[in-house]
Every structure is written in structure tokens, then in C-alpha cells.
């Protein structure tokens, strides 16, 4: 399913702005999906939200043309995965694409022990990012160093695991579902679990079920997209922008403040105090509407709402990202 507006440019080509939720297949990189979709749709720009490793499948939000400006605001939400790990084998990449570096025959057979170890990772914790990752050091992805046999020191990063449920144990494989913060490496979770179990482990299958606002049931198979004519976007695959943004905070403001946003001007702290009763966090994407206006503004909160009373009144509080028309399902 994709959220999209379609217009014809002066040369007759299709201009498409929106969010396409792809169901990434295994065996292709996230960038490979981006490149292919860009060619299929003839898009000027396509960005993706949250890299999936080649072996992984599932939700890969793609932001097309003007929608690319939404990437920083929509991709920091909660992620949900279904993962299968294999006990008894460690690899240098922490997944089945890597080289085996250790093996053990002492795989625990107590299912309750395995469940306890996995459950112990819920809540606040830390992870050391794997060397085989897209995380950049001095502008270079770590995996490029790893491929040369170079290991760099990585600082532990804070993560939060909201919930973890073991789905199946068929030794040496363990399948579980995990809901976690952005930036959590599931293969590192597998490797850390193997360490605690004393036998080692690595990731063999991974499907992203949810990425922020986007869910697998709304995703479109890449094979289906390959056979789609971009000139005739099928209406039954459209998901309204209103539905996509339904969980965002919503502010109703006076016409004069909305007029400022329409002029692409920021809202100051003094002007924002009129709706200070609404709880906002710095970095939030927020819907702003005004009585009688058909458009809804998507704005970036530049300050925590509880700081409005302390901040200088001339400071910026809200900055426009874009507008959307919920009736026409279009971005502007």
C-alpha cells in the first residue's frame, strides 16, 4: 500500500509524491530497493526509512520526491520484528551471512532458561553496534572497515526493548517477536543472548513487522510493484494520508497562526503559548489545523511544551515541514 499523489509534469512524465510501504524481499539491499523503485516510478528522489540487511524482509517505508522531507520525523518510532536465531554458532557479522568464528555443542535444552534469558533484555539496555553495520564512523560505514578485517572501537548505545515474546523453540532454532526502539540491532540481541546462554548464537531470519506508523499488512510486494504501471496507480492500494498520520499529536490554532505557516514562517514561543496545554516533545512531528481550512500542516516541534514558559518569547517553537490535503490525499 502506498500514500501518494500523482501529477503530470510539462513533459508528460508522472510526478509522484508520497510514501510507499514496500515489503522488502530477502537477498537485496535497502538501497537496491530504492534504486529499483526510483527507476520504476521515474521519481526524482526516493529515500528509505531504516535500513534492512540483505537477509531481512518486511516493512521498508519509501519516501518519494517531496515526501523525502518527512524521513527525519517519521523514522524514529518503535520497530517490531519477528526473528529466528540459531544457537550453537557465532559468526563475525552476527547473522548467517557471516563467517563462523565459534561453535558449541552445549546448547541448553531447558526452554524456560532460553525464555528467561531473552526476556531479561526487556527495558532499558545498551548495545555495542556490530562492525558489519551501516553505522558511519568519520563518514564511512562500519561494514567497509569490517570487510577489510579492521575492527574499530564502538561506544555502547542506549536502547529500549518494549516487549519480547518467544514464539517457537525448535532447537537449535528459537523464534521470537520483539518490539524495540529505533537503533536496536536484532542480530546483536541474538548474539548477546547466545553469550548469556553460553553457547553462542546468530540471526538466521528477520522480518520487520512494523516501523513507526507503518505496518506489514499495508506493505506492497516488490514483485507487485514491478508490474505496476506508474501512470495508473491502483486506487484500491491507496492508504489515506489522514490514516497514516492519525497517531500524530493534533493542534487546532487560530487562523492568524495558520496563515503564518502558509507563508512558510515559523511560530514563535510567544505565539505557541496559546496551545501550551498540549504536550509536545522537541523533535515531534505534529499536525496543525485551523477551523475552515481544508489543509493540514505537518510541523516540526522545536521545543518541549513544558519549556514554553521559560524560553525567550522570540525563539522558534514550530517549523513547517509540509502541508497535506486529507480530501485529495496530496502532499504540498
Amino acid at each position: 500500500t502506498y500514500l501518494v499523489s500523482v501529477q503530470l509534469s510539462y513533459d508528460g512524465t508522472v510526478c509522484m509524491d508520497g510514501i510507499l510501504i514496500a515489503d522488502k524481499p530477502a537477498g537485496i539491499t535497502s538501497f537496491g530497493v530504492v534504486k529499483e523503485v526510483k527507476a520504476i516510478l521515474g521519481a526524482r528522489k526516493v529515500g528509505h526509512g531504516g535500513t534492512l540487511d540483505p537477509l531481512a524482509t518486511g516493512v521498508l517505508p519509501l519516501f518519494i520526491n517531496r515526501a523525502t522531507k518527512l524521513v527525519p520525523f517519521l523514522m524514529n518510532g518503535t520497530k517490531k520484528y519477528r526473528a529466528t536465531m540459531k544457537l550453537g554458532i557465532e559468526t563475525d557479522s552476527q547473522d548467517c551471512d557471516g563467517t563462523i568464528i565459534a561453535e558449541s555443542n552445549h546448547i541448553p535444552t531447558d526452554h524456560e532458561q532460553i525464555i528467561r534469558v531473552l526476556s531479561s533484555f526487556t527495558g532499558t539496555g545498551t548495545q555495542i553496534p556490530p562492525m558489519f553495520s551501516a553505522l558511519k564512523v568519520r563518514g564511512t560505514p562500519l561494514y567497509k572497515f569490517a570487510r577489510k578485517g579492521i575492527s574499530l572501537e564502538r561506544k555502547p548505545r542506549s536502547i529500549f526493548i518494549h516487549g519480547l515474546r518467544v514464539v517457537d523453540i525448535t532447537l537449535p532454532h528459537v523464534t521470537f517477536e520483539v518490539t524495540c526502539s529505533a537503533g536496536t540491532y536484532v542480530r546483536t540481541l541474538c548474539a548477546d543472548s547466545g553469550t548469556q546462554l553460553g553457547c553462542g548464537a546468530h540471526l538466521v531470519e528477520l522480518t520487520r513487522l512494523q516501523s513507526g506508523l507503518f505496518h506489514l499488512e499495508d506493505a506492497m510486494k516488490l514483485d507487485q510493484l514491478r508490474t505496476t504501471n506508474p501512470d495508473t496507480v491502483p486506487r484500491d492500494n491507496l492508504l489515506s494520508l489522514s490514516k497514516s498520520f492519525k497517531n500524530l499529536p493534533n493542534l487546532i490554532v487560530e487562523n492568524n497562526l495558520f496563515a503564518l505557516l502558509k507563508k512558510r514562517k515559523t511560530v514563535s514561543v510567544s505565539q505557541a503559548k496559546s496551545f501550551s496545554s498540549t504536550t509536545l516533545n522537541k523533535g515531534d512531528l505534529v499536525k496543525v489545523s485551523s477551523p475552515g481550512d481544508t489543509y493540514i500542516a505537518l510541523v516540526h516541534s522545536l521545543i518541549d511544551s513544558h519549556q514554553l514558559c521559560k524560553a525567550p518569547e522570540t525563539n522558534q517553537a514550530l517549523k513547517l515541514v509540509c502541508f497535506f490535503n486529507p480530501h485529495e490525499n496530496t502532499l504540498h
Side-chain angles (χ1 to χ4, degrees), residues 119-277:
S119 299
S120 70
F121 289 97
T122 56
T124 302
T126 60
Q127 280 187 339
I128 297 176
M131 277 300 302
F132 283 89
S133 68
L135 185 66
K136 291 184 177 180
V137 173
R138 300 189 294 273
T140 302
L142 282 173
Y143 67 79
K144 291 192 175 182
F145 293 103
R147 287 173 181 171
K148 296 177 181 179
I150 301 172
S151 181
L152 301 179
E153 183 179 355
R154 288 96 66 204
K155 294 182 179 179
R157 301 200 307 178
S158 294
I159 63 165
F160 190 85
I161 295 180
H162 301 272
L164 192 152
R165 180 176 69 92
V166 175
V167 176
D168 180 72
I169 299 177
T170 305
L171 295 175
H173 294 96
V174 179
T175 299
F176 60 92
E177 290 185 356
V178 58
T179 305
C180 54
S181 61
T184 302
Y185 289 94
V186 179
R187 53 198 164 99
T188 299
L189 175 60
C190 294
D192 291 345
S193 298
T195 298
Q196 287 209 19
L197 289 167
C199 62
H202 69 283
L203 177 71
V204 293
E205 289 183 7
L206 182 68
T207 298
R208 184 152 65 192
L209 305 174
Q210 176 189 347
S211 179
L213 301 173
F214 310 114
H215 299 261
L216 186 59
E217 56 264 31
D218 296 322
M220 188 176 188
K221 297 283 188 183
L222 192 56
D223 282 344
Q224 182 186 356
L225 184 62
R226 286 166 177 154
T227 60
T228 297
N229 183 344
D231 294 332
T232 56
V233 179
R235 286 288 173 183
D236 58 353
N237 281 328
L238 288 177
L239 183 65
S240 73
L241 293 168
S242 296
K243 182 177 179 180
S244 174
F245 303 136
K246 67 179 181 179
N247 293 324
L248 295 179
N250 186 43
L251 298 177
I252 300 175
V253 302
E254 298 294 332
N255 292 335
N256 62 326
L257 288 185
F258 203 71
L260 286 177
L261 293 173
K262 281 196 164 183
K263 294 177 181 178
R264 299 308 198 260
K265 293 185 177 180
T266 57
V267 174
S268 68
V269 167
S270 62
Q271 294 163 330
K273 285 182 178 179
S274 62
F275 47 80
S276 60
S277 59

Side-chain angles (χ1 to χ4, degrees), residues 273-325:
K273 285 182 178 179
S274 62
F275 47 80
S276 60
S277 59
T278 302
T279 300
L280 298 177
N281 297 312
K282 183 178 180 181
D284 280 353
L285 188 67
V286 185
K287 290 183 296 187
V288 177
S289 58
S290 183
D293 202 298
T294 57
Y295 285 91
I296 295 177
L298 294 176
V299 301
H300 178 208
S301 178
L302 303 174
I303 190 172
D304 293 334
S305 54
H306 69 269
Q307 294 179 335
L308 284 173
C309 59
K310 303 176 185 177
E313 294 201 340
T314 56
N315 280 14
Q316 296 179 347
L318 297 176
K319 185 177 181 180
L320 179 71
V321 176
C322 66
F323 286 97
F324 77 93
N325 186 321

